[in-house]
């Protein structure tokens, strides 16, 4: 966490992490020793969070004092477009049930994970926490986006009505070990890692869809995990209902730079080719981390993109046969 940060953690905290086998859940498992607590990482096989009774049973069994809610139905662009109703209804049910159980079981502190897709498709840059509801989200995944917006509302309402110390975190593009490296459904970093792996193996060109010009902010999964733990300390959850988690201004990278960094991590010396016939998507989605810095200070350090990619590529190579792809 950085030597200047102090944490006051009760050793008798019981932490329940939903979505415990996902990208961020695995990252929390990697850094959980930072917090001397009793940890419970659960997944869909442990409880059906779309069912309120099943969710209550889980909370009764674990008796958490702290909840980190990561579980969600997620999917790629085309999956979202094909089933807006399903993504909206299932995520709405999951989120409502977890929030209700947090209240019913008197959970002292909680973190709920949103996504930058909650922000309007057309918004003033850099985006900040006040922009969430200032216009419709992008239509391609509006079912998922609106379910996450409703979660932000629920958390804010419970804070107001019951003085709950609950907080929504809004990370920018997350990457790291245990991601979904599918060439079809993976997000940009894991999909490019898989594509470069194939190009390196087969000695072919590494082709990147689009012009390579769009800019994005990336967060290494273990950095997000450390930020979540840090935000649960002291009085941070009392002060805010939501906070964006992303690197500092100036750390935006073009997709071409992302591809080049990945190629370097593989030691790939072949051709890196851009395919401008493929759509680029939104050119820029800059978010501000001023609120995060106000809470955690400059002492909280983010992993450089080059180091994060090096670690992720190494993990992918070591786990190629068994990882999600």
């Amino acid at each position: 966490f950085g030597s200047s940060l102090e944490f006051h953690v009760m050793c008798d905290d019981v932490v329940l992490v939903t979505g415990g086998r996902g990208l961020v859940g695995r990252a929390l498992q990697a850094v959980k020793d930072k917090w001397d607590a009793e940890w419970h990482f659960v997944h869909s096989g442990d409880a059906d969070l779309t069912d309120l009774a099943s969710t209550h049973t889980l909370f009764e069994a674990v008796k958490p004092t702290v909840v980190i809610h990561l579980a969600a139905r997620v999917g790629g662009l085309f999956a979202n477009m094909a089933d807006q109703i399903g993504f909206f209804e299932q995520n709405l049910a999951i989120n409502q049930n977890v929030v209700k159980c947090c209240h019913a079981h008197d959970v002292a502190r909680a973190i709920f994970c949103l996504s930058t897709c909650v922000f309007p498709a057309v918004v003033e840059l850099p985006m900040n926490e006040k922009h969430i509801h200032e216009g419709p989200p992008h239509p391609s995944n509006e079912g998922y986006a609106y379910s996450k917006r409703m979660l932000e509302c629920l958390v804010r309402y419970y804070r107001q009505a019951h003085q709950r110390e609950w907080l929504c975190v809004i990370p920018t593009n997350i990457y790291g070990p245990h991601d979904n490296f599918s060439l079809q459904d993976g997000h940009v970093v894991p999909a490019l890692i898989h594509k470069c792996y194939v190009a390196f193996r087969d000695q072919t060109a590494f082709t990147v869809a689009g012009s390579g010009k769009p800019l994005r902010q990336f967060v290494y999964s273990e950095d997000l995990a450390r930020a979540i733990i840090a935000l649960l300390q002291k009085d941070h959850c009392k002060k805010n209902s939501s906070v964006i988690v992303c690197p500092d201004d100036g750390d935006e990278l073009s997709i071409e730079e992302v591809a080049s960094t990945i190629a370097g991590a593989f030691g790939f010396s072949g051709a890196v080719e851009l395919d401008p016939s493929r759509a680029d998507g939104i050119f820029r989605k800059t978010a501000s981390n001023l609120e995060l810095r106000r809470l955690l200070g400059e002492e909280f350090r983010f992993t450089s993109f080059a180091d994060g990619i090096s670690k992720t590529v190494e993990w992918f190579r070591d786990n190629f046969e068994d990882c999600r792809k």
Side-chain angles (χ1 to χ4, degrees):
F1 286 99
S3 58
S4 299
L5 286 176
E6 294 182 7
F7 298 97
H8 305 282
V9 183
M10 298 295 290
C11 293
D12 56 356
D13 275 322
V14 179
V15 185
L16 171 62
V17 182
T18 69
R21 288 188 181 176
L23 172 62
V24 184
R26 294 285 193 173
L28 277 163
Q29 290 187 45
V31 303
K32 65 183 175 64
D33 289 345
K34 302 288 185 182
W35 188 344
D36 185 10
E38 179 185 324
W39 289 84
H40 295 266
F41 294 87
V42 300
H43 59 94
S44 57
D46 297 314
D48 178 7
L49 299 181
T50 64
D51 178 76
L52 182 58
S54 177
T55 310
H56 268 303
T57 299
L58 172 66
F59 274 67
E60 285 284 0
V62 175
K63 294 180 171 54
T65 61
V66 177
V67 167
I68 301 172
H69 177 45
L70 308 173
R73 179 189 171 188
V74 297
L77 174 66
F78 296 108
N80 273 272
M81 293 175 67
D83 190 16
Q84 299 278 13
I85 294 172
F87 277 91
F88 180 76
E89 289 185 339
Q90 285 183 259
N91 284 300
L92 196 64
I94 290 169
N95 296 334
Q96 284 182 323
N97 291 339
V98 171
V99 169
K100 285 180 179 179
C101 288
C102 283
H103 178 62
H105 293 265
D106 199 27
V107 170
R109 287 163 291 154
I111 291 277
F112 300 86
C113 195
L114 306 185
S115 162
T116 51
C117 73
V118 301
F119 287 106
V122 179
V123 64
E124 178 185 351
L125 299 179
M127 300 180 295
N128 65 51
E129 293 81 0
K130 296 178 181 179
H131 290 147
I132 294 174
H133 300 284
E134 291 189 352
H138 196 276
S140 63
N141 61 353
E142 65 177 321
Y144 179 79
Y146 274 119
S147 74
K148 289 292 190 178
R149 283 191 183 188
M150 295 306 99
L151 175 57
E152 188 277 334
C153 290
L154 268 177
V155 170
R156 188 157 35 85
Y157 299 156
Y158 273 91
R159 286 175 61 92
Q160 294 168 354
H162 303 287
Q163 294 73 55
R164 292 300 188 187
E165 295 180 24
W166 299 349
L167 173 68
C168 291
V169 296
I170 312 169
T172 52
N173 299 271
I174 314 165
Y175 72 98
H178 301 282
D179 208 339
N180 176 9
F181 293 86
S182 169
L183 292 171
Q184 289 74 40
D185 299 324
H187 291 131
V188 59
V189 167
L192 285 176
I193 287 175
H194 191 170
K195 186 174 284 190
C196 190
Y197 174 91
V198 173
F200 182 86
R201 181 194 64 196
D202 298 346
Q203 296 186 314
T204 57
F206 175 25
T207 304
V208 180
S211 70
K213 294 179 181 178
L215 300 171
R216 294 292 184 267
Q217 292 162 300
F218 297 94
V219 179
Y220 185 53
S221 56
E222 289 188 16
D223 290 347
L224 175 57
R226 292 187 300 110
I228 287 172
I229 291 175
L231 287 166
L232 283 165
Q233 314 308 318
K234 298 185 179 179
D235 295 326
H236 296 323
C237 289
K238 285 184 180 179
K239 299 173 184 176
N240 294 67
S241 61
S242 60
V243 61
I244 293 169
V245 179
C246 69
D248 300 313
D249 292 346
D251 285 341
E252 285 179 291
L253 294 166
S254 71
I255 300 304
E256 185 174 12
E257 290 173 314
V258 170
S260 177
T261 304
I262 290 170
F266 274 103
F268 178 75
S269 57
V272 179
E273 299 178 352
L274 301 171
D275 180 6
S277 69
R278 301 286 298 276
D280 274 337
I282 298 172
F283 175 71
R284 198 173 193 183
K285 299 168 66 176
T286 313
S288 168
N289 74 354
L290 289 179
E291 196 59 32
L292 180 76
R293 284 299 183 201
R294 188 181 71 82
L295 292 172
L296 300 187
E298 296 299 323
E299 295 89 353
F300 186 89
R301 294 187 288 272
F302 286 92
T303 302
S304 72
F305 187 69
D307 287 347
I309 287 296
S310 178
K311 293 176 183 178
T312 306
V313 165
E314 180 180 7
W315 183 90
F316 179 72
R317 280 176 147 167
D318 291 343
N319 295 273
F320 179 78
E321 295 300 327
D322 301 318
C323 71
R324 289 185 294 165
K325 59 182 187 300

